[in-house]
Amino acid sequence: MAKEMREPIETGCPDPFQYMHPVMRRNFGLWAYHEHPRPGVLLHVAKNGDKVWTIRVGTQRILDVFTLRTLCDIGDTYGEGYVHFTIRSNIEYMVTDEAKVDPLIKAIEDAGFIVGGTQNSVTMISHTQGWLHCDIPGTDASGVVKSMMDELIDEFKQANMPNRVHITTSCCQINCGGQGDIAINVQHTKPPKINHDLVANVCERPSVVARCPVAAIRPAMVNGKPSLEVDEKKCICCGACFPPCPPMQINDAEHTKLAIWVGGNHSNARGKPTFQKLVAAGIPNNPPRWPEATAIVKRILKAYKEGARDWERINEWIERIGWPRFFEEVELPFTKYHIDNWRGARKSLNSSAYIRF
Amino acid sequence: MAIDQYPTPMLDQLEEGPWPSFISGIKRLRDQHPEQRINEVTNSLLGQLEHSYETRKGYWKGGTVSVYGYGGGIIPRFSEVGKAFPESKEFHTLRVQPPAGNHYSTGMLRQLADSWEKWGSGLVTFHGQTGNIMFIGTNTANTQHFFDEINDYGWDLGGAGPCVRTAMSCVGAARCEMSCTNEQKAHRLLVNNFTDDVHRPALPYKFKFKVSGCPNDCQNAIERADFAVIGTWRDDMKVNQDEWKAYVGRKGRQHTIDNIISRCPTNALSLKDDDSLEVNNKDCVRCMHCLNVVPKALHPGDDRGVTILIGGKRTLKIGDLMGTVVVPFKKLDTEEDWESLVELAEEIIDFWAENALEHERCGEMIERIGLVNFLEGVGVEVDPNMVNHPRECSYIRMDGWDDEAVKWFDRQAEAS
């Protein structure tokens, strides 16, 4: 069945107005304020008095068409036929009649989805593809997130944290999961294992050499074949050489670990945006439920919930109480690995007499 | 018609617990979908995933798959264990650009689901970390069929590889009182101006546009976009004193001082004896905190525009970089304003494409050549809003000082 090849229609990013709830179209740029009637529900009021209730729902993110259609059915029967997705893959239903809110929530929960994720809750973990689809993952993504959200579900449903908590996971050190208040990321601990028979045929050697952030890779002849070798004293085990050169296997069932970082905050509120900082590493990559990583996340959340003031994000809470006390509160060791040695690291060192006792 | 199911003892444990399970969803496709092709492909996928869980290794490899006329937008996946799990040995993802702001009607979602189950595995994610709808799992032949079908009713691929990537924008003006710009217009104007650079990867590395309508930066643009557009305002913030006093009355003065007044990063707020709020707008840095706490009383001003920051990215290769302010404030009202936004993006991408090393993000190039060289390259004048503080190191040749000072005073005179 030879198909007539046709040129693609290069429409790019579609116009959202055709898929937008009419009340949002009508009041585009004309909203007055919002309120939080209950966790998982937002109320936005327009300048003309129009109201829209938004019900935010956590899902498994990797949706099968049955689940997608179930979500659509709920939207048609109990909602008003329009949805919006948040950056963290929560689905939102908008309704313009307050009377629809409770039946909609009931239908969502009866179908096994979770209402929450607004305001000062622990919202859905933004995550990557992991073993399901990525070509370089050191761990899974959806499985880690499912395991953690099972444990954090009450924090998703109830907005009772000091401020919002964004958690992210990433299955390699490229970290497409992004910056988060708590980030659970793969951290390799051993240099790549090289299959020298394959390198010459598979890898563009100069680009691989150029990819290394610490210039630890150089061309070499191994077993009479052109290959690459790694200066293991220099190697920081980041895995940057692995995507362009799969024979340089960085993933290891034993030595690929998880690390936990805290204090990434992309808002400008109260302070400038911040990057996440290392707090724990060497955590076993332990499928199918990753209990060790989840336990540390829960310890951090507990200390934050008990110790932070209203509106303090995790980075601000630590800024106030100080890192020594943070490590005490969460019962984590402070090691030489916590002290940065990358370029610009001097800015992270304490050059003052500010010491907390 | 029953198929031989791969045992999944480890994955089965991910069906326990209250959070919705992606494994249960994949199993429904395996066990209940009327089409045998989908039963088989998802069975095979579960087999391979279980194998990954047992061995703690991934088994997908990249490759080259594209649709006719494009060079990117597909994430090709070929299984390294395809002999053991043959039905999913090709399992590519199509990255499809969502509508700006991620709005959907249920009707459109159903239409996409219908097309996807005709040609793919039936698994889809709204959205990936770059911002695409990810249609996960189809073979090489069906990639083209699925694309043709959805392309006919208005959908296009996003970026993958060294190209302009799919953009992101917040819900913004559609449902947020803090919106300071037309986010969806900025998003679509920018990314759709570079359609060719989205579909035919020929840049040094990826280039991302992200738009947030206010400094809360819900889209994480400053930390994760090469070109971040942040809505802001430059006149006085609006204070509804009645609503403000009602809040103080409800919550008390101590709460208000502890949670709002003393949290202002530049001490620009004062609670007066009559419970009214005094704002020193000259000192305000638009951090959003007080507006977030009392959204009924405090709002952005009327003279709105955007701040543009360039060069945000994650670690690879030189370490994490935040975007740097390159345009402190820009109006986006007239057609000329919007055109000049696009022109700035073109200027920046052209300069970067010309001067970056292979695999070097825009922010890394700026780090290597210095901000001043970059600004000269793209024709933007220096501004003190671009720095936290002036230089600390005296090692610089400054025999052009007088000329540069004249330029500054000339610009000041021109602006007033």
Side-chain angles (χ1 to χ4, degrees), chain A residues 112-131:
Chain A
F113 303 107
I114 319 296
V115 172
T118 57
Q119 224 179 342
N120 47 331
S121 66
V122 175
T123 184
M124 172 62 174
I125 300 174
S126 75
H127 66 88
T128 54
Q129 292 291 69
W131 287 327

Side-chain angles (χ1 to χ4, degrees), chain A residues 150-217:
Chain A
D150 277 345
E151 304 261 335
L152 303 175
I153 189 164
D154 289 344
E155 306 298 354
F156 180 90
K157 287 157 88 165
Q158 306 154 7
N160 58 12
M161 284 281 165
N163 199 345
R164 69 191 64 240
V165 179
H166 289 157
I167 304 184
T168 71
T169 74
S170 286
C171 42
C172 81
Q173 284 180 230
I174 290 173
N175 183 215
C176 36
Q179 297 282 337
D181 292 292
I182 304 179
I184 304 99
N185 295 351
V186 152
Q187 188 81 22
H188 304 291
T189 60
K190 296 285 182 198
K193 287 189 182 130
I194 307 175
N195 182 338
H196 292 289
D197 294 339
L198 298 180
V199 170
N201 292 335
V202 176
C203 316
E204 198 182 319
R205 293 189 306 149
S207 340
V208 183
V209 169
R211 191 71 58 95
C212 179
V214 291
I217 302 174

